[in-house]
Short mmCIF file of all heavy atoms in Angstrom, two decimals:
data_model
loop_
_atom_site.label_atom_id
_atom_site.label_comp_id
_atom_site.label_asym_id
_atom_site.label_seq_id
_atom_site.Cartn_x
_atom_site.Cartn_y
_atom_site.Cartn_z
N SER A 77 -10.95 24.84 -7.18
CA SER A 77 -11.69 24.39 -5.98
C SER A 77 -11.16 23.00 -5.60
O SER A 77 -10.96 22.79 -4.41
CB SER A 77 -13.17 24.26 -6.32
OG SER A 77 -13.87 23.71 -5.22
N LEU A 78 -10.96 22.13 -6.52
CA LEU A 78 -10.42 20.83 -6.21
C LEU A 78 -9.02 20.90 -5.61
O LEU A 78 -8.65 20.24 -4.67
CB LEU A 78 -10.37 19.94 -7.45
CG LEU A 78 -11.72 19.45 -7.99
CD1 LEU A 78 -11.54 18.76 -9.35
CD2 LEU A 78 -12.36 18.49 -6.99
N ARG A 79 -8.23 21.81 -6.22
CA ARG A 79 -6.86 22.00 -5.73
C ARG A 79 -6.83 22.48 -4.30
O ARG A 79 -6.04 22.02 -3.45
CB ARG A 79 -6.14 22.97 -6.64
CG ARG A 79 -4.69 23.17 -6.35
CD ARG A 79 -4.01 24.04 -7.47
NE ARG A 79 -2.56 24.05 -7.31
CZ ARG A 79 -1.87 25.03 -6.81
NH1 ARG A 79 -2.49 26.16 -6.38
NH2 ARG A 79 -0.53 25.02 -6.70
N GLU A 80 -7.67 23.45 -4.00
CA GLU A 80 -7.71 24.03 -2.64
C GLU A 80 -8.26 23.05 -1.64
O GLU A 80 -7.76 22.90 -0.55
CB GLU A 80 -8.57 25.28 -2.66
CG GLU A 80 -8.63 25.96 -1.33
CD GLU A 80 -9.42 27.23 -1.31
OE1 GLU A 80 -9.83 27.68 -2.40
OE2 GLU A 80 -9.68 27.82 -0.24
N LYS A 81 -9.28 22.26 -2.09
CA LYS A 81 -9.95 21.40 -1.14
C LYS A 81 -9.16 20.10 -0.86
O LYS A 81 -9.09 19.65 0.28
CB LYS A 81 -11.38 21.08 -1.70
CG LYS A 81 -12.20 20.21 -0.69
CD LYS A 81 -13.63 20.01 -1.24
CE LYS A 81 -14.43 19.20 -0.25
NZ LYS A 81 -15.80 18.92 -0.77
N TYR A 82 -8.62 19.54 -1.94
CA TYR A 82 -7.99 18.24 -1.78
C TYR A 82 -6.45 18.28 -1.82
O TYR A 82 -5.79 17.70 -0.96
CB TYR A 82 -8.51 17.32 -2.87
CG TYR A 82 -9.98 17.01 -2.76
CD1 TYR A 82 -10.90 17.61 -3.58
CD2 TYR A 82 -10.43 16.11 -1.78
CE1 TYR A 82 -12.28 17.37 -3.44
CE2 TYR A 82 -11.76 15.85 -1.64
CZ TYR A 82 -12.70 16.48 -2.46
OH TYR A 82 -14.04 16.20 -2.35
N MET A 83 -5.90 18.98 -2.78
CA MET A 83 -4.46 19.00 -2.90
C MET A 83 -3.79 19.57 -1.69
O MET A 83 -2.81 18.97 -1.19
CB MET A 83 -4.07 19.83 -4.20
CG MET A 83 -2.59 19.83 -4.48
SD MET A 83 -1.96 18.17 -4.89
CE MET A 83 -2.57 18.01 -6.56
N PHE A 84 -4.30 20.68 -1.18
CA PHE A 84 -3.62 21.38 -0.07
C PHE A 84 -4.07 20.72 1.26
O PHE A 84 -3.20 20.31 2.05
CB PHE A 84 -3.96 22.83 -0.07
CG PHE A 84 -3.18 23.59 -1.14
CD1 PHE A 84 -3.82 24.27 -2.14
CD2 PHE A 84 -1.81 23.58 -1.14
CE1 PHE A 84 -3.15 24.97 -3.14
CE2 PHE A 84 -1.06 24.22 -2.10
CZ PHE A 84 -1.74 24.95 -3.10
N THR A 85 -5.34 20.73 1.49
CA THR A 85 -5.80 20.31 2.85
C THR A 85 -5.68 18.81 3.12
O THR A 85 -5.42 18.41 4.21
CB THR A 85 -7.30 20.75 3.03
OG1 THR A 85 -8.09 20.09 2.08
CG2 THR A 85 -7.42 22.25 2.90
N LYS A 86 -5.91 17.98 2.08
CA LYS A 86 -5.90 16.56 2.29
C LYS A 86 -4.58 15.91 2.05
O LYS A 86 -4.19 14.99 2.75
CB LYS A 86 -6.94 15.89 1.33
CG LYS A 86 -8.34 16.42 1.51
CD LYS A 86 -8.93 16.08 2.87
CE LYS A 86 -10.39 16.53 2.95
NZ LYS A 86 -10.97 16.29 4.25
N ILE A 87 -3.81 16.39 1.11
CA ILE A 87 -2.56 15.81 0.72
C ILE A 87 -1.37 16.49 1.26
O ILE A 87 -0.50 15.86 1.94
CB ILE A 87 -2.50 15.68 -0.82
CG1 ILE A 87 -3.62 14.80 -1.37
CG2 ILE A 87 -1.14 15.11 -1.23
CD1 ILE A 87 -3.66 14.72 -2.85
N GLU A 88 -1.28 17.80 1.03
CA GLU A 88 -0.09 18.50 1.48
C GLU A 88 0.09 18.57 2.97
O GLU A 88 1.23 18.57 3.47
CB GLU A 88 -0.11 19.94 0.93
CG GLU A 88 0.19 19.99 -0.61
CD GLU A 88 0.46 21.42 -1.01
OE1 GLU A 88 -0.04 22.36 -0.36
OE2 GLU A 88 1.21 21.58 -2.01
N ASN A 89 -0.99 18.53 3.72
CA ASN A 89 -0.87 18.54 5.16
C ASN A 89 -0.40 17.19 5.75
O ASN A 89 -0.02 17.16 6.94
CB ASN A 89 -2.20 18.92 5.79
CG ASN A 89 -2.56 20.39 5.49
OD1 ASN A 89 -1.69 21.16 5.12
ND2 ASN A 89 -3.83 20.71 5.65
N ASN A 90 -0.41 16.14 4.97
CA ASN A 90 0.07 14.86 5.41
C ASN A 90 0.94 14.21 4.33
O ASN A 90 0.60 13.21 3.72
CB ASN A 90 -1.13 13.91 5.68
CG ASN A 90 -2.06 14.46 6.75
OD1 ASN A 90 -1.72 14.34 7.95
ND2 ASN A 90 -3.17 15.04 6.34
N PRO A 91 2.12 14.86 4.07
CA PRO A 91 2.91 14.42 2.93
C PRO A 91 3.42 12.97 2.97
O PRO A 91 3.35 12.25 1.99
CB PRO A 91 4.09 15.39 2.95
CG PRO A 91 4.17 15.90 4.38
CD PRO A 91 2.73 15.92 4.84
N LYS A 92 3.87 12.48 4.12
CA LYS A 92 4.39 11.14 4.23
C LYS A 92 3.31 10.15 4.05
O LYS A 92 3.50 9.16 3.27
CB LYS A 92 5.08 10.96 5.61
CG LYS A 92 6.31 11.81 5.84
CD LYS A 92 6.91 11.64 7.20
CE LYS A 92 8.10 12.51 7.43
NZ LYS A 92 8.66 12.39 8.78
N LYS A 93 2.17 10.30 4.74
CA LYS A 93 1.10 9.33 4.60
C LYS A 93 0.56 9.36 3.15
O LYS A 93 0.25 8.31 2.58
CB LYS A 93 -0.03 9.66 5.58
CG LYS A 93 0.32 9.46 7.01
CD LYS A 93 -0.83 9.84 7.92
CE LYS A 93 -0.44 9.62 9.43
NZ LYS A 93 -1.57 10.01 10.30
N SER A 94 0.40 10.55 2.62
CA SER A 94 -0.11 10.73 1.27
C SER A 94 0.79 10.05 0.21
O SER A 94 0.31 9.29 -0.64
CB SER A 94 -0.29 12.19 0.91
OG SER A 94 -1.23 12.83 1.81
N LEU A 95 2.08 10.29 0.33
CA LEU A 95 3.02 9.69 -0.64
C LEU A 95 3.12 8.19 -0.48
O LEU A 95 3.22 7.48 -1.47
CB LEU A 95 4.35 10.36 -0.50
CG LEU A 95 4.46 11.78 -1.03
CD1 LEU A 95 5.73 12.48 -0.59
CD2 LEU A 95 4.34 11.82 -2.53
N TYR A 96 3.05 7.73 0.73
CA TYR A 96 3.03 6.25 0.91
C TYR A 96 1.80 5.66 0.28
O TYR A 96 1.87 4.66 -0.38
CB TYR A 96 3.02 5.96 2.46
CG TYR A 96 3.02 4.45 2.75
CD1 TYR A 96 4.22 3.72 2.68
CD2 TYR A 96 1.86 3.83 3.12
CE1 TYR A 96 4.20 2.40 2.95
CE2 TYR A 96 1.80 2.47 3.39
CZ TYR A 96 3.00 1.76 3.31
OH TYR A 96 3.00 0.36 3.60
N LEU A 97 0.66 6.33 0.44
CA LEU A 97 -0.56 5.86 -0.18
C LEU A 97 -0.53 5.86 -1.72
O LEU A 97 -0.87 4.89 -2.35
CB LEU A 97 -1.76 6.71 0.27
CG LEU A 97 -3.11 6.41 -0.39
CD1 LEU A 97 -3.58 5.01 -0.07
CD2 LEU A 97 -4.16 7.42 0.07
N PHE A 98 0.06 6.94 -2.28
CA PHE A 98 0.14 7.01 -3.73
C PHE A 98 1.19 6.03 -4.23
O PHE A 98 1.08 5.54 -5.40
CB PHE A 98 0.49 8.41 -4.15
CG PHE A 98 -0.69 9.33 -4.16
CD1 PHE A 98 -0.86 10.34 -3.19
CD2 PHE A 98 -1.69 9.23 -5.15
CE1 PHE A 98 -1.94 11.18 -3.15
CE2 PHE A 98 -2.81 10.04 -5.12
CZ PHE A 98 -2.94 11.03 -4.14
N GLY A 99 2.17 5.72 -3.41
CA GLY A 99 3.11 4.65 -3.84
C GLY A 99 2.44 3.30 -3.90
O GLY A 99 2.69 2.52 -4.82
N LEU A 100 1.58 3.06 -2.91
CA LEU A 100 0.77 1.81 -2.94
C LEU A 100 -0.09 1.76 -4.17
O LEU A 100 -0.22 0.74 -4.86
CB LEU A 100 -0.17 1.77 -1.68
CG LEU A 100 0.48 1.58 -0.36
CD1 LEU A 100 -0.57 1.70 0.77
CD2 LEU A 100 1.19 0.18 -0.21
N ILE A 101 -0.70 2.90 -4.55
CA ILE A 101 -1.59 2.96 -5.66
C ILE A 101 -0.88 2.65 -6.99
O ILE A 101 -1.37 2.05 -7.91
CB ILE A 101 -2.31 4.34 -5.75
CG1 ILE A 101 -3.27 4.47 -4.57
CG2 ILE A 101 -3.06 4.53 -7.08
CD1 ILE A 101 -3.91 5.81 -4.44
N LEU A 102 0.38 3.18 -7.11
CA LEU A 102 1.13 2.99 -8.34
C LEU A 102 1.31 1.53 -8.76
O LEU A 102 1.25 1.23 -9.92
CB LEU A 102 2.56 3.60 -8.17
CG LEU A 102 3.48 3.46 -9.37
CD1 LEU A 102 2.86 4.13 -10.63
CD2 LEU A 102 4.87 4.04 -9.08
N SER A 103 1.38 0.63 -7.79
CA SER A 103 1.57 -0.78 -8.09
C SER A 103 0.35 -1.36 -8.84
O SER A 103 0.49 -2.38 -9.50
CB SER A 103 1.83 -1.60 -6.84
OG SER A 103 0.69 -1.58 -5.98
N LEU A 104 -0.80 -0.73 -8.74
CA LEU A 104 -1.96 -1.18 -9.40
C LEU A 104 -1.85 -1.07 -10.95
O LEU A 104 -2.63 -1.64 -11.69
CB LEU A 104 -3.21 -0.42 -8.94
CG LEU A 104 -3.59 -0.56 -7.49
CD1 LEU A 104 -4.79 0.32 -7.16
CD2 LEU A 104 -3.94 -2.05 -7.18
N ALA A 105 -0.86 -0.28 -11.40
CA ALA A 105 -0.67 -0.08 -12.82
C ALA A 105 0.00 -1.33 -13.45
O ALA A 105 0.07 -1.42 -14.69
CB ALA A 105 0.17 1.15 -13.10
N PHE A 106 0.48 -2.23 -12.69
CA PHE A 106 1.15 -3.43 -13.16
C PHE A 106 0.21 -4.62 -13.16
O PHE A 106 -0.89 -4.57 -12.66
CB PHE A 106 2.39 -3.70 -12.26
CG PHE A 106 3.41 -2.62 -12.39
CD1 PHE A 106 3.32 -1.50 -11.61
CD2 PHE A 106 4.55 -2.76 -13.22
CE1 PHE A 106 4.29 -0.46 -11.62
CE2 PHE A 106 5.50 -1.75 -13.26
CZ PHE A 106 5.36 -0.62 -12.52
N ALA A 107 0.73 -5.73 -13.77
CA ALA A 107 -0.08 -6.95 -13.79
C ALA A 107 -0.36 -7.42 -12.36
O ALA A 107 0.43 -7.21 -11.45
CB ALA A 107 0.71 -8.03 -14.52
N PRO A 108 -1.52 -8.03 -12.11
CA PRO A 108 -2.54 -8.38 -13.09
C PRO A 108 -3.65 -7.34 -13.27
O PRO A 108 -4.57 -7.59 -14.08
CB PRO A 108 -3.08 -9.68 -12.52
CG PRO A 108 -3.06 -9.42 -11.01
CD PRO A 108 -1.81 -8.67 -10.77
N THR A 109 -3.58 -6.26 -12.53
CA THR A 109 -4.72 -5.32 -12.53
C THR A 109 -4.67 -4.34 -13.69
O THR A 109 -5.69 -4.01 -14.28
CB THR A 109 -4.79 -4.51 -11.21
OG1 THR A 109 -3.47 -3.99 -10.95
CG2 THR A 109 -5.15 -5.43 -10.07
N PHE A 110 -3.45 -3.80 -13.97
CA PHE A 110 -3.23 -2.82 -15.08
C PHE A 110 -4.23 -1.65 -14.98
O PHE A 110 -4.89 -1.33 -15.97
CB PHE A 110 -3.35 -3.52 -16.44
CG PHE A 110 -2.21 -4.44 -16.77
CD1 PHE A 110 -2.43 -5.82 -17.00
CD2 PHE A 110 -0.93 -3.98 -16.84
CE1 PHE A 110 -1.39 -6.63 -17.29
CE2 PHE A 110 0.11 -4.81 -17.11
CZ PHE A 110 -0.10 -6.17 -17.33
N VAL A 111 -4.30 -1.03 -13.80
CA VAL A 111 -5.13 0.14 -13.64
C VAL A 111 -4.29 1.36 -14.10
O VAL A 111 -3.50 1.91 -13.34
CB VAL A 111 -5.56 0.33 -12.19
CG1 VAL A 111 -6.42 1.60 -12.05
CG2 VAL A 111 -6.30 -0.87 -11.70
N VAL A 112 -4.47 1.72 -15.36
CA VAL A 112 -3.62 2.74 -16.02
C VAL A 112 -3.62 4.06 -15.27
O VAL A 112 -2.57 4.71 -15.14
CB VAL A 112 -3.97 2.92 -17.48
CG1 VAL A 112 -3.14 4.00 -18.15
CG2 VAL A 112 -3.76 1.60 -18.26
N PRO A 113 -4.78 4.57 -14.82
CA PRO A 113 -4.78 5.87 -14.11
C PRO A 113 -3.84 5.89 -12.88
O PRO A 113 -3.52 6.95 -12.40
CB PRO A 113 -6.24 6.05 -13.75
CG PRO A 113 -7.00 5.29 -14.77
CD PRO A 113 -6.17 4.09 -15.03
N ALA A 114 -3.54 4.73 -12.34
CA ALA A 114 -2.69 4.64 -11.15
C ALA A 114 -1.30 5.27 -11.45
O ALA A 114 -0.61 5.68 -10.54
CB ALA A 114 -2.54 3.23 -10.68
N LEU A 115 -0.90 5.32 -12.72
CA LEU A 115 0.39 5.89 -13.11
C LEU A 115 0.43 7.38 -12.80
O LEU A 115 1.54 7.92 -12.63
CB LEU A 115 0.66 5.66 -14.59
CG LEU A 115 0.92 4.23 -15.01
CD1 LEU A 115 0.88 4.11 -16.57
CD2 LEU A 115 2.24 3.71 -14.46
N LEU A 116 -0.70 8.01 -12.68
CA LEU A 116 -0.74 9.44 -12.35
C LEU A 116 -0.26 9.71 -10.98
O LEU A 116 -0.01 10.87 -10.59
CB LEU A 116 -2.17 9.95 -12.59
CG LEU A 116 -2.73 9.83 -14.01
CD1 LEU A 116 -4.14 10.42 -14.12
CD2 LEU A 116 -1.80 10.48 -15.03
N SER A 117 -0.07 8.69 -10.18
CA SER A 117 0.49 8.88 -8.84
C SER A 117 1.91 9.46 -8.94
O SER A 117 2.33 10.17 -8.01
CB SER A 117 0.59 7.48 -8.12
OG SER A 117 -0.70 6.94 -7.90
N LEU A 118 2.56 9.19 -10.01
CA LEU A 118 3.90 9.78 -10.23
C LEU A 118 3.81 11.31 -10.32
O LEU A 118 4.75 11.97 -9.91
CB LEU A 118 4.54 9.21 -11.47
CG LEU A 118 5.03 7.76 -11.44
CD1 LEU A 118 5.47 7.29 -12.80
CD2 LEU A 118 6.15 7.61 -10.40
N GLY A 119 2.70 11.83 -10.80
CA GLY A 119 2.52 13.27 -10.90
C GLY A 119 2.48 13.92 -9.51
O GLY A 119 2.99 14.98 -9.25
N ILE A 120 1.90 13.17 -8.53
CA ILE A 120 1.87 13.63 -7.16
C ILE A 120 3.25 13.68 -6.57
O ILE A 120 3.63 14.66 -5.91
CB ILE A 120 0.94 12.68 -6.33
CG1 ILE A 120 -0.46 12.66 -6.89
CG2 ILE A 120 0.94 13.20 -4.86
CD1 ILE A 120 -1.18 13.94 -6.87
N LEU A 121 4.03 12.62 -6.82
CA LEU A 121 5.41 12.60 -6.37
C LEU A 121 6.19 13.79 -6.97
O LEU A 121 6.90 14.49 -6.28
CB LEU A 121 6.09 11.29 -6.73
CG LEU A 121 7.58 11.19 -6.43
CD1 LEU A 121 7.83 11.34 -4.94
CD2 LEU A 121 8.19 9.90 -6.94
#
């Protein structure tokens, strides 16, 4: 359900915007925030 609702309709339909956003999110994994789940953005890429 999550895959159908979010992965396809929200992300796949807007690949450039989505990937730009996940690229922004990845930087949160570094100092000083160290938001570890942000690394999962690489999985989207």
Side-chain angles (χ1 to χ4, degrees):
S77 176
L78 288 173
R79 185 171 189 257
E80 182 178 351
K81 184 176 181 181
Y82 295 103
M83 183 66 75
F84 285 120
T85 60
K86 303 296 184 181
I87 298 177
E88 285 193 334
N89 291 341
N90 299 283
K92 295 178 182 178
K93 293 180 181 178
S94 297
L95 287 167
Y96 181 79
L97 175 61
F98 281 108
L100 292 173
I101 292 174
L102 178 60
S103 67
L104 296 176
F106 295 83
T109 51
F110 289 120
V111 180
V112 177
L115 290 169
L116 300 181
S117 297
L118 288 172
I120 302 296
L121 174 62

